[in-house]
Amino acid sequence: MSNQTSFWEKISRIDRRWIFLTIAITVSVPMILGVDFAAVPSPMVEDIFHRIEQLPAGSRVLLSYDYGPSTVPENQPMADALAYHLLKRGCKVYMMAVWATGERQATVTMERVVIPSFPKAVYGDDYIDLGYKAGNTGLMNLLFTNFKRMYTTDRTGKDIESFPMMQQIESLRSFNMIFSISSGQPGLKEWVQFVGDRGKIPTSGGVTAVQATELYPYYPRQMFGLMAGLQGAAEFESMVIEKYPEYAPMRTALRKMAPQTVAHIAIIVLVVLGNIAYFTTRKRGK
Amino acid sequence: MTLMDQVALWVGAALTLMIFSFLYRDNPFYKFAEHLFVGVSAAYWMVTGFWSTLIPNGIGKVWPSLIASVNPQAAATEPNYYFIIPIILGLMMLTRLFGGIGWISRWPMALIIGFSAGTNLTRYLQSDFLAQVHATSVPLIVMANGSFMVVDSFSNFVLVFGVIAALIYFFFSIEHKGAIAGISRGGIWILMITFGAAFGYTVMARISLLIGRFEFLKTWFQSIV
């Protein structure tokens, strides 16, 4: 009995660096082995996929990059898979950013997914990169009434009127659907509050896991779907791959699900061990 | 991979390892990486603010010819002198840097706060209050094609009871005794489950970021061997 107690005492006083090492091993081993775990789509992610599938070709879809490099592992797979799916459906994709750091991430999507996968798609006709504009929710308010007042050029400085796909755009009401991939404020929440609800424009997107619980109350009435963290991104990727298998080599979120799952199991085990150690040592103290 | 890509990879890997070194113990390498990050971030936002706001929305609107070399498109437009007002307000904000006249900055600050409160109030009222009340008004007995839907009814019951119980927990005008105490205790459980879900998501987010860094280090390692 005393040996057992001393074991729990050791556990309760374990150096936190052993825990860091455990997490490092649980993350790196599945990554090195290249194990792939499946992701079963949740209804919230299925709704996004099916709504895009129902969009007629030529629909105008706004894709806002509201994040930066710090949350790329979670957000970039969402943006890449969305852009791919939308272009595959023949939608016109308008990329923009409410975050200054988001502008570069839109370029990443173009270089990784759009240009290699859709060589026949024409810039300015099928997709466009409008770049970043300052103003946060003030910008959203302005775009809601007059889009071209803020966006007079694309990201590279070319006159907006020179692009065929911009001819029909007057305000945010001109879009059939709005997606925001976000990791903070302003982000998807503000797109719902300031644009989606106001103009009854179908709005959805993906957020970091930290933000997810804040967004759940908007589903399904104010937001028709949600990708929550890496899991949400992996679920969406799995649906895209099921319908369009050629996207498989470009998957990034699904590749991260094995280390994610193993790390979660390790954390659960550590939490259980920690609790047993706490209660055992507390009981002994009494 | 170009030479610049290689340099970027090595710098990124070195800084990542320096930050990770804190997990062992605080050290000068970690401090160097931390200070570098803060400095670079501050400079980045300053440059971004200058080129994305001050130049196009300030100088570009009032004196378009001045920015002809950086934005020929904007330089061809007519000046809009209304933009002098925000420029003046911006300069008033900078008076905070001078102790004696620092009080002047309160005026533009008041304008920003007033404008934000005014625009946000209606949106929050609509999206976060009225629409949420509507979303919570769900039937407790769900029927479909004449049959009772057990799962949907239970889900709606949890939603409605959860909202009411959590609200009662924060209702301090009556003493929490008897039935009220029981519902209030249910409210605590609902809140705890919510915090637990939020914590679980936070763990997932942090592990995702760790995986991202490890993948970066893997790319760096593969470039060496």
Side-chain angles (χ1 to χ4, degrees), chain A residues 13-220:
Chain A
R13 283 200 296 266
I14 194 170
D15 190 327
R16 67 178 67 185
R17 286 174 287 196
W18 287 109
I19 296 170
F20 297 148
L21 185 66
T22 308
I23 297 299
I25 291 167
T26 54
V27 167
S28 53
V29 169
M31 198 183 287
I32 292 163
L33 295 176
V35 188
D36 255 15
F37 277 23
V40 181
S42 59
M44 286 197 297
V45 175
E46 283 177 336
D47 285 350
I48 296 178
F49 185 85
H50 295 313
R51 285 288 285 265
I52 294 175
E53 283 291 304
Q54 287 160 8
L55 278 176
S59 297
R60 295 178 291 275
V61 182
L62 187 75
L63 182 53
S64 186
Y65 288 73
D66 310 328
Y67 61 97
S70 60
T71 56
V72 157
E74 287 184 280
N75 289 135
Q76 196 66 37
M78 299 172 182
D80 290 354
L82 266 178
Y84 181 88
H85 192 193
L86 290 167
L87 285 167
K88 203 74 186 171
R89 293 293 309 155
C91 299
K92 297 199 180 294
V93 181
Y94 300 75
M95 291 184 266
M96 62 165 280
V98 182
W99 284 37
T101 47
E103 188 175 273
R104 169 66 193 147
Q105 303 313 134
T107 316
V108 170
T109 297
M110 287 215 294
E111 290 169 353
R112 256 198 93 240
V113 175
V114 179
I115 296 168
S117 304
F118 303 94
K120 288 181 181 169
V122 179
Y123 182 82
D125 205 354
D126 300 305
Y127 65 95
I128 191 166
D129 182 5
L130 296 164
Y132 160 72
K133 288 284 177 224
N136 300 336
T137 51
L139 173 74
M140 291 177 190
N141 275 329
L142 201 60
L143 295 177
F144 189 81
T145 51
N146 191 340
F147 196 87
K148 290 177 186 171
R149 195 172 164 200
M150 280 308 286
Y151 279 105
T152 54
T153 65
D154 76 337
R155 186 181 61 82
T156 59
K158 275 190 181 172
D159 184 5
I160 209 82
E161 298 293 354
S162 65
F163 300 107
M165 67 188 288
M166 292 306 297
Q167 302 301 323
Q168 295 168 310
I169 302 297
E170 287 176 6
S171 69
L172 286 174
R173 287 181 196 273
S174 308
F175 293 97
N176 301 96
M177 207 171 260
I178 292 173
F179 286 104
S180 165
I181 308 298
S182 72
S183 66
Q185 201 178 10
L188 179 54
K189 190 175 180 177
E190 283 69 31
W191 279 105
V192 170
Q193 290 172 333
F194 287 81
V195 180
D197 278 356
R198 190 177 168 194
K200 307 286 177 222
I201 307 164
T203 305
S204 179
V207 295
T208 54
V210 174
Q211 264 196 302
T213 45
E214 264 186 63
L215 270 298
Y216 274 133
Y218 297 114
Y219 174 82

